[in-house]
Amino acid sequence: MPALCHLKPAISRMSDDKKLTSRAEDFSAWYNEVVLRAQLADYSPVRGCMVIRPDGYGIWERMQRALDDQFKATGHRNAYFPLLIPESFLRKEAEHVEGFAPEAAVVTHGGGKKLDEPLVIRPTSETIIYSMFAKWVQSYRDLPILINQWANVVRWEMRTRLFLRTLEFLWQEGHTAHVTHDEAEVETLMILGLYRRFMEEHMAMPVLTGLKTHSEKFAGALRTYSCEAMMQDNKALQAGTSHNLGQNFSRAFELQFQSESGGMEFAWNTSWGVSTRMIGGLVMTHGDDNGLRIPPKLAPTEVVIVPIWKSDEERARLLEAANNVKQALTSWTGRGHDGIRVHVDAREGIKPGAKYYEWELRGVPLRLELGPRDLQSNSCMVARRDGNFIGPAPAEVPGGKAPSRKAVLSLDGLPTAINDILTTIQSDMLAAALARREANSHREPMTYDTFRELMEGDGGFVYAGWNGDPAIEAKVKEETKATIRCIPDAEFRSKDAPTTCMVTGEPAKHEVVWAKAY
RNA sequence: CGGGGCGUAGCGUAGCCCGGUAUCGCGCCUGCUUUGGGAGCAGGAGGUCGCCGGUUCGAAUCCGGCCGCCCCGACCA
C-alpha cells in the first residue's frame, strides 16, 4: 500500500548505529528516537496521529490508576460524554469558539448523506457537559456535581510531535458545578495541588504551579492555573491545567439553580485536565543518552531479570531460578496487594550484554542478573538504571578505575531489599530533576538585554518583574519566543521579589516566570 | 498558506547528471559455534524504485502532472 510509505520515521542514523543521537547533539532527534526505540509509540498512517504501543500505554495506565484513585478520594465520579458535539454548541460561548473553532475537526456526512447540522469531534467537552448539567440541576441541593471523564479529544494542530502535540490524544477532563465562586475556586486549586503531588510523587517531575496570564489562559475560563515542568533542553512543558470557569458556560448553557433564598442563579464551574502529553514530559525529564528512564511508580516493569547460562543444563537451572525469584517478587505483600512488577528475559540467542542495553533503552528502573556463580552463592547482581550506587558509594577503587555500580544482593529477603532500592530510585530521580531545574532557573536581577541573550543561548526559567501589560508580554514573545509560563504561587516566588518590570523599568505588578515552551 | 528538502526491502542508503529491471549496512529467518556489557561464520527470505501519463526497442534514471512526508515561518495540552 503506497499510502503507507510515509510511515518511515524522519530520523537519521538510527538503524545503522546502535547508539542514540545524544541529547547535546540534537535534543529533538534524541526525543523522537527514544520514543520510537523504547517502543512507547509509533507513527500512524494519518499525519499527526500516533499509535500508543503497550509500553507507552502501560505508563498511561499507571498514570490513570494513580490519578483516578485521587479523583475518587476527593469525591469525583467518572462518566462518559459522547465524542460528537453539535457544532452550534461550540458557538455558544464566545471566547471558547474563538479558541477552538480553528482546530476543530468537523463531521459533515453520515450514513452516506450530508448532515443537517455538522458535528464537531470534541476538542474538549465543556459544551456538551454543561448542557447536560443544565438538565440535571434544578436546586442548590443538586450541587456540587463532581464529574470526571477519561476520553480522547481531537485538535487539528499544524505541527505535531509524538505525545507532546498530536491531532488526537488521550486525557482526563474533570468538570464540576458549584453554588458559589469561592467553592469553585477551592476546587480549582485543590485539583492543581493534586496534579502537582502526582507529578512529583509518581512522575518524579518537579513542577511549579501558578496562574496563567490573560493571553495564556483557557478560552472561556475566568482563570487558568497550570503545572509547569522544565525539560532537559530548559524549555517549559505545561503538564496540567485547572480552570475556574466562572459562570461563562453556565450562562451560555443556562445551567441555573434555585438558591436557598429562592432566586435563580447560574452555577460556578471548573474544568481541569492532564493528558498523554505527560508521557512526553516523563521522557524529556528523565531520559539520558542511553535511552528512557522510567520512575518505578510508573514503570510497567520495575525489575527485569536477565538469566545467564552457557549449557542447556545451566539454562534449565537458571530459568527455573529466575522464575522463582520473579515469583518471590510478584507475590510479595510488603506494599499491599500489588507485588513488584517483574519480567524475566528468557530469550535465547541474544547475549546478556545485548539484553542489558535493550532494557536500559526501554527504561526499566532495575536490572537483576542471575548466573551460575550467583546461584552458587545464593545471590544476584543488581544494577540501577539511574546509574547511582546501591548503598553507600565505595570510597576508592585500586588502580583508579571507576567503581562498579552493580551490587550483590542475597536472594534471602530479596523483595524487601529490591523494594527499598526502588523507593530510593524514585526519590533520587525527583531530587535530580529538581536540582537540574533549580540550576537552570534565574532569580538574579535581570535586564532585558541579558534576558534576550539568555533566551538565545541556554534558556531556562527566568523569574522577573512584569508591569502587567499584555502588550509587553506580546512584545517579549515576538522578540524572544519566550512566554510567561505563569505568575507563580507563593511558595515558588523569590525571596527578594523583583520590584520593577524587566522590560519597561516600571513598577512590577507581578513576579512572573518566563521561558520558551513546548 | 509562503520558503526549502525528500520519496528505492522493516529501517538507513548507493545508483539518477551519462537510460540496459537494483548496491551496501542494520534488522529478519535457518543451521553450527557462542552466551557474566551490544557474538562469529555459513546459508536464506524480502523491492510493481510514491502514483499516473509521456519519450524510447528498453525508464529508478529523461519529460509532464499528481500525491505524500519532513524541516523553517503565522496557532496550541
Side-chain angles (χ1 to χ4, degrees):
Chain A
M1 199 199 298
L4 290 177
C5 63
H6 63 272
L7 281 178
K8 303 181 213 160
I11 282 173
S12 57
R13 55 180 297 251
M14 213 172 93
S15 61
D16 54 337
D17 194 342
K18 287 180 172 134
K19 277 190 153 39
L20 291 165
T21 299
S22 72
R23 289 164 297 173
E25 195 181 332
D26 185 341
F27 191 77
S28 86
W30 167 83
Y31 174 80
N32 286 333
E33 288 178 25
V34 170
V35 169
L36 293 169
R37 289 177 61 180
Q39 299 176 31
L40 300 183
D42 204 349
Y43 293 105
S44 96
V46 176
R47 176 198 78 87
C49 294
M50 69 171 173
V51 175
I52 304 176
R53 302 181 66 178
D55 283 353
Y57 202 80
I59 294 172
W60 180 237
E61 285 178 313
R62 296 205 59 76
M63 289 176 163
Q64 282 185 301
R65 191 199 290 194
L67 286 164
D68 203 61
D69 286 349
Q70 288 302 307
F71 298 152
K72 302 272 173 60
T74 49
H76 303 83
R77 301 177 69 194
N78 285 331
Y80 185 78
F81 296 81
L83 175 74
L84 298 173
I85 297 173
E87 195 184 39
S88 58
F89 275 37
L90 217 54
R91 293 211 203 90
K92 288 193 181 177
E93 208 288 326
E95 272 195 78
H96 194 66
V97 204
E98 209 177 305
F100 284 106
E103 55 189 54
V106 183
V107 178
T108 56
H109 288 72
K113 284 188 296 192
K114 189 163 189 288
L115 300 174
D116 291 340
E117 181 184 352
L119 299 171
V120 172
I121 300 175
R122 61 177 166 224
T124 179
S125 304
E126 273 78 4
T127 60
I128 180 73
I129 289 181
Y130 299 125
S131 77
M132 295 309 296
F133 280 12
K135 283 177 70 173
W136 301 337
V137 171
Q138 272 88 48
S139 147
Y140 72 96
R141 295 179 201 277
D142 297 325
L143 297 174
I145 302 187
L146 307 172
I147 288 285
N148 177 62
Q149 86 164 337
W150 292 95
N152 58 337
V153 286
V154 169
R155 299 178 186 177
W156 217 262
E157 303 290 351
M158 298 186 174
R159 306 203 48 193
T160 58
R161 299 281 313 276
L162 293 168
F163 287 115
L164 301 173
R165 179 164 297 110
T166 46
L167 298 196
E168 178 187 4
F169 58 93
L170 305 182
W171 76 349
Q172 140 296 294
E173 50 180 320
H175 294 275
T176 67
H178 306 264
V179 172
T180 66
H181 165 275
D182 288 358
E183 199 183 311
E185 183 71 5
V186 166
E187 166 81 3
T188 309
L189 293 173
M190 186 274 289
I191 293 293
L192 185 72
L194 188 158
Y195 284 161
R196 178 194 169 181
R197 279 195 305 283
F198 167 77
M199 289 170 193
E200 290 176 350
E201 291 171 14
H202 291 259
M203 298 177 68
M205 182 175 80
V207 291
L208 51 99
T209 56
L211 182 66
K212 286 289 187 184
T213 62
H214 185 271
S215 71
E216 295 279 332
K217 78 173 176 62
F218 172 69
L222 213 56
R223 280 187 288 282
T224 292
Y225 298 90
S226 74
C227 295
E228 302 284 332
M230 186 193 284
M231 305 293 101
Q232 291 186 68
D233 59 355
N234 288 350
K235 285 168 76 174
L237 182 79
Q238 179 175 303
T241 49
S242 186
H243 316 288
N244 185 332
L245 301 174
Q247 295 174 308
N248 292 344
F249 287 92
S250 286
R251 290 179 194 279
F253 291 93
E254 299 182 306
L255 168 47
Q256 298 179 87
F257 64 93
Q258 191 162 25
S259 71
E260 221 171 333
S261 57
M264 293 303 284
E265 294 179 18
F266 289 108
W268 298 83
N269 300 117
T270 81
S271 71
W272 26 275
V274 293
S275 72
T276 40
R277 179 181 235 206
M278 290 191 295
I279 297 173
L282 200 69
V283 173
M284 291 193 293
T285 296
H286 298 303
D288 65 14
D289 288 348
N290 296 321
L292 187 61
R293 299 194 306 172
I294 314 173
K297 283 191 182 176
L298 294 180
T301 299
E302 293 171 282
V303 178
V304 62
I305 301 176
V306 179
I308 298 156
W309 64 77
K310 287 192 172 70
S311 64
D312 282 351
E313 182 274 327
E314 269 182 359
R315 176 173 172 271
R317 229 158 27 92
L318 266 302
L319 281 180
E320 190 192 350
N323 284 318
N324 288 342
V325 171
K326 175 181 175 175
Q327 178 61 27
L329 293 170
T330 53
S331 62
W332 185 64
T333 55
R335 60 181 192 195
H337 51 278
D338 289 333
I340 297 170
R341 299 179 294 281
V342 182
H343 174 72
V344 175
D345 188 348
R347 289 176 297 175
E348 291 183 66
I350 300 175
K351 295 180 77 167
K355 293 181 179 179
Y356 302 164
Y357 280 102
E358 178 175 334
W359 293 112
E360 281 167 10
L361 170 67
R362 295 172 70 173
V364 175
L366 206 57
R367 182 182 67 243
L368 201 152
E369 306 165 13
L370 197 60
R373 294 204 296 273
D374 303 306
L375 272 197
Q376 204 106 56
S377 58
N378 193 45
S379 65
C380 59
M381 291 289 272
V382 180
R384 286 173 60 161
R385 174 61 181 88
D386 67 349
N388 286 342
F389 291 104
I390 291 166
E396 201 181 318
V397 173
K401 284 200 298 187
S404 169
R405 287 173 185 261
K406 296 183 188 180
V408 179
L409 288 188
S410 169
L411 293 182
D412 298 328
L414 189 66
T416 310
I418 293 287
N419 185 61
D420 287 349
I421 296 168
L422 290 169
T423 306
T424 305
I425 293 174
Q426 183 79 33
S427 58
D428 282 2
M429 288 179 79
L430 175 62
L434 188 59
R436 175 174 56 73
R437 184 188 75 187
E438 289 309 300
N440 293 290
S441 293
H442 301 270
R443 292 176 185 269
E444 66 275 13
M446 177 82 46
T447 66
Y448 188 43
D449 282 344
T450 312
F451 177 81
R452 295 177 72 147
E453 281 172 32
L454 200 56
M455 287 302 148
E456 278 169 29
D458 291 343
F461 285 4
V462 173
Y463 291 70
W466 177 48
N467 67 359
D469 182 357
I472 295 299
E473 187 185 13
K475 168 187 150 85
V476 174
K477 181 176 181 179
E478 167 79 26
E479 292 176 353
T480 68
K481 303 266 185 277
T483 50
I484 296 178
R485 300 321 302 155
C486 66
I487 301 164
D489 287 339
E491 79 171 276
F492 298 104
R493 286 178 213 145
S494 305
K495 283 192 197 73
D496 300 309
T499 54
T500 58
C501 175
M502 173 180 75
V503 182
T504 65
E506 294 165 18
K509 212 173 240 170
H510 310 282
E511 176 176 28
V512 296
V513 177
W514 292 94
K516 288 192 192 171
Y518 276 93

